[in-house]
Amino acid sequence: MAGQYPPMKEENMRDYLLLVSQAARIYGGSCLHTASMADLFFCLRKGIVPLTPASQRTALAQESDYNPIAEYGSNMPHSDAVIPEYRAYTAIETRAGVVVFTNTPEGERQRQAFEKYHEVNFFNPAQPGGQMNYFEIIAEPSAMQGHTDKLTGGLKEGFTEAFTDPAITRQGRCLKTFNMTRASKTMNFFAKGTKPAQPAKNSPR
């Protein structure tokens, strides 16, 4: 697929995002996030994690040295700069705390077990109720060591051993929210909303 992307040339620079998006759609792809290279380089220089609320232009505008129309290349990192390899993680926030899962088979298994536990215990008076918020977190893997996939010891009451600093949600955006009020309607909505999508069945010939 990489060979199908249009070449980047000076004459198509302004329309390059549109051209890439059109090429991606041919293969069923889509663009989830966009950011200007000038803003990305500024974030890199300032230690701001890209694709998070802190990297949005409205937030960057609060920085005293941010220039939205800076000369091209003014924020370009030096050739010896170390560019972090950020990854996406899934964080689930409840009244009790925040747990973070990697987007790996093990992380997916633990997340589904966590969701199943809350589904089975939905009407348990010991559950905190409130809301369950899902976040996409962007962070460096080295910074997340010891903070992800911490349910390996089993689903113990309270999950206190699995909680991480709730401030991590500032490095992400909320994707969806569930009402955990103990009622049949909200329980059914939660159960359906956390089920993985089923592959479409082939229609009979």
Side-chain angles (χ1 to χ4, degrees), residues 35-43 57 66-68 70-75:
S36 74
M37 291 301 294
D39 286 354
L40 290 176
F41 288 145
F42 180 82
C43 290
R57 184 158 287 188
Y66 174 71
N67 182 1
E71 182 180 354
Y72 178 76
S74 59
N75 292 315

Side-chain angles (χ1 to χ4, degrees), residues 22-152:
Q22 290 174 342
R25 280 197 294 270
I26 296 175
Y27 295 89
S30 62
C31 182
L32 295 178
H33 307 288
T34 61
S36 74
M37 291 301 294
D39 286 354
L40 290 176
F41 288 145
F42 180 82
C43 290
L44 178 63
R45 180 164 63 83
K46 300 286 288 188
I48 300 171
V49 180
L51 303 180
T52 64
S55 70
Q56 299 302 305
R57 184 158 287 188
T58 52
L60 297 181
Q62 305 303 314
E63 299 285 337
S64 59
D65 55 344
Y66 174 71
N67 182 1
I69 55 174
E71 182 180 354
Y72 178 76
S74 59
N75 292 315
M76 193 79 73
H78 295 292
S79 58
D80 59 348
V82 177
I83 300 179
E85 294 185 9
Y86 295 107
R87 292 183 185 174
Y89 300 83
T90 298
I92 301 180
E93 177 188 46
T94 65
R95 275 184 178 175
V98 175
V99 289
V100 182
F101 304 99
T102 59
N103 294 320
T104 63
E106 175 58 20
E108 187 81 358
R109 183 192 68 78
Q110 290 193 26
R111 180 184 61 76
Q112 291 177 1
F114 183 80
E115 293 168 338
K116 188 64 178 180
Y117 174 89
H118 282 83
E119 179 184 343
V120 171
N121 291 276
F122 201 91
F123 294 100
N124 185 344
Q127 296 302 307
Q131 292 184 338
M132 179 178 284
N133 303 313
Y134 283 66
F135 290 84
E136 178 192 50
I137 304 297
I138 307 296
E140 292 185 63
S142 59
M144 298 302 293
Q145 288 184 0
H147 300 287
T148 61
D149 300 346
K150 296 175 66 177
L151 297 182
T152 53

Side-chain angles (χ1 to χ4, degrees), residues 151-188:
L151 297 182
T152 53
L155 299 179
K156 300 178 182 178
E157 189 75 28
F159 306 103
T160 54
E161 78 288 351
F163 292 144
T164 191
D165 187 348
I168 190 64
T169 58
R170 298 174 188 167
Q171 287 186 206
R173 62 191 74 238
C174 187
L175 301 178
K176 57 184 177 180
T177 296
F178 292 105
N179 182 353
M180 304 301 286
T181 302
R182 288 184 285 278
S184 298
K185 183 177 180 180
T186 53
M187 192 276 281
N188 291 334

